[in-house]
Amino acid sequence: LGLAVGLATGWLDGTRARVVATLVQSVVDLVVALPALLVGLLVAAVLGPGLVPAVLAIVVLGWAPFARLAHRLTVAARAEDW
């Protein structure tokens, strides 16, 4: 789930205007900078214990590296001479 969200976000980020790219990359930087344990505890505190909150915590933290990779690959592909 994190892979799908990250790839879609990174691809859209790489194909859209500079303002959108800057905004999305700022959000990605914020998510990467957050400590994983604190976000996991926050999600568990808000949603309670269970499988669904655990999956949501993983998705919230897991999509950002995939978004960065997809963004870089999209920008590189757009720069190629086709």
Side-chain angles (χ1 to χ4, degrees), residues 1-9 51-52 54-64 66:
L1 202 54
L3 174 67
V5 171
L7 290 179
T9 304
L51 182 63
V52 173
V55 170
L56 286 176
I58 292 169
V59 169
V60 165
L61 295 171
W63 68 273
F66 296 116

Side-chain angles (χ1 to χ4, degrees), residues 2-67:
L3 174 67
V5 171
L7 290 179
T9 304
W11 177 75
L12 287 173
D13 178 25
T15 58
R16 300 294 175 222
R18 218 50 190 142
V19 175
V20 175
T22 303
L23 178 67
V24 171
Q25 287 302 312
S26 297
V27 171
V28 168
D29 290 339
L30 177 70
V31 170
V32 170
L34 293 174
L37 183 60
L38 291 178
V39 173
L41 288 173
L42 178 66
V43 170
V46 170
L47 299 178
L51 182 63
V52 173
V55 170
L56 286 176
I58 292 169
V59 169
V60 165
L61 295 171
W63 68 273
F66 296 116

